[in-house]
């Protein structure tokens, strides 16, 4: 199985990836995580990437494809693609790459979320520095520690209301066309993302077990 998890920012791709990893022997590639690790390393490339990512803009396609290919080649397992492809040229490059590597995308799962939910969700999102858990907090009464492990929580620099709104705009302009790219492939399925994470996971599992 090689699965593309699509969805707007905040749709729950990271949360569902974590659940899928517990249930299936898959390798998870979150391009957002890969970029954040490079930024955190403080390398010259990381500095350039930080300028782009922290403003909520997309990293150029050629760079993303190059980074992705290295990771795909490093594993024989089936892959969850989380946050890639985000543009039609990325989708085309992924097809070419997978063909060249004698692999195949088996499922394209769109986690669908109404636009009015997106900014709220993003602004209430926190991630644990220690265990990586993604949590939602009550903005008026935010948690200070991770409810899973007690670790320190942080807010991603691109999770402010202004940047979340901008990312949604970028999603509409650049990433939604990817939906059309896959829609007639026979691999494309939508799940309702406006449900509990457990129910979304149940729906995804049913699709994968068909
Ligand atoms: P995410 O963690 O998936 O929300 O990604 C965070 C940010 O990383 C995005 O807002 C983009 O700035 C950048 N990013 C992640 N994946 C890609 C991609 N496939 N192409 C371009 N930029 C990306």
């Amino acid at each position: 199985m090689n699965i593309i998890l699509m969805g707007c920012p905040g749709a729950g791709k990271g949360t569902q990836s974590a659940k899928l990893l517990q249930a299936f022997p898959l390798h998870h590639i979150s391009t957002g995580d890969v970029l954040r690790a490079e930024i955190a390393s403080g390398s010259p490339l990381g500095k350039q990437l930080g300028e782009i990512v922290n403003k909520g803009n997309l990293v150029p396609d050629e760079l993303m494809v190059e980074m992705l290919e290295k990771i795909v080649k490093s594993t024989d397992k089936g892959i969850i693609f989380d946050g890639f492809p985000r543009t039609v040229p990325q989708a085309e490059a992924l097809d070419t790459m997978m063909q060249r590597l004698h692999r195949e995308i088996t499922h394209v799962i769109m986690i669908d979320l109404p636009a009015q939910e997106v900014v709220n969700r993003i602004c209430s999102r926190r991630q644990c520095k220690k265990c990586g858990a993604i949590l939602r907090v009550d903005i008026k009464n935010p948690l200070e520690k991770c409810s899973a492990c007690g670790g320190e929580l942080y807010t991603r620099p691109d999770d402010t209301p202004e940047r979340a709104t901008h990312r949604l705009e970028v999603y509409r302009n650049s990433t939604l066309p990817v939906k059309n790219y896959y829609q007639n492939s026979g691999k494309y399925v939508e799940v309702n993302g406006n449900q509990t994470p457990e129910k979304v996971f149940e729906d995804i599992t049913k699709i994968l077990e068909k």
Side-chain angles (χ1 to χ4, degrees):
M1 266 190 311
N2 289 298
I3 306 161
I4 295 176
L5 270 190
M6 287 192 67
C8 59
K13 301 184 293 294
T15 301
Q16 294 304 320
S17 295
K19 289 183 175 294
L20 283 168
L21 282 182
Q22 287 182 353
F24 299 93
L26 293 166
H27 183 80
H28 176 217
I29 305 179
S30 155
T31 44
D33 284 351
V34 172
L35 293 168
R36 282 186 286 278
E38 188 66 44
I39 295 167
S41 78
S43 68
L45 174 64
K47 290 202 173 100
Q48 281 177 26
L49 292 172
E51 295 274 310
I52 302 172
V53 171
N54 294 339
K55 286 186 188 141
N57 292 322
L58 293 184
V59 172
D61 290 333
E62 312 76 64
L63 187 55
M64 288 311 306
V65 172
E66 200 182 309
M67 282 179 142
L68 187 89
E69 178 154 358
K70 281 191 194 135
I71 310 173
V72 171
K73 282 181 173 164
S74 73
T75 180
D76 290 332
K77 285 186 177 175
I79 295 173
I80 306 170
F81 294 92
D82 161 5
F84 191 100
R86 257 181 159 96
T87 64
V88 171
Q90 289 184 13
E92 290 168 344
L94 180 61
D95 270 350
T96 312
M97 180 197 309
M98 294 299 271
Q99 249 176 16
R100 193 159 21 89
L101 301 175
H102 306 290
R103 301 194 193 181
E104 195 194 353
I105 297 296
T106 52
H107 302 82
V108 180
I109 301 178
M110 164 68 90
I111 307 177
D112 211 19
L113 193 68
Q116 67 269 22
E117 265 290 303
V118 175
V119 175
N120 274 348
R121 268 210 196 185
I122 292 181
C123 296
S124 63
R125 174 163 65 185
R126 300 289 180 278
Q127 191 153 11
C128 175
K129 281 188 181 172
K130 198 166 150 203
C131 74
I134 300 166
L135 306 169
R136 288 184 67 192
V137 299
D138 175 353
I139 299 277
K140 290 190 206 115
N141 191 13
L143 290 174
E144 283 173 13
K145 298 276 176 207
C146 172
S147 52
C149 77
E152 200 184 326
L153 298 179
Y154 75 99
T155 309
R156 281 170 40 172
D158 55 346
D159 276 355
T160 62
E162 300 72 31
R163 288 177 193 171
T165 308
H166 176 62
R167 282 162 64 207
L168 188 56
E169 195 65 23
V170 171
Y171 174 78
R172 285 204 184 104
N173 293 334
S174 303
T175 308
L176 259 189
V178 177
K179 168 176 164 173
N180 301 336
Y181 180 87
Y182 287 118
Q183 223 159 10
N184 298 318
S185 64
K187 298 170 183 172
Y188 179 87
V189 202
E190 288 183 3
V191 299
N192 175 8
N194 203 10
Q195 317 180 81
T196 62
E198 291 70 28
K199 182 69 181 73
V200 177
F201 180 63
E202 198 184 307
D203 290 355
I204 292 178
T205 309
K206 277 188 198 143
I207 293 164
L208 297 179
E209 288 178 346
K210 254 189 203 159

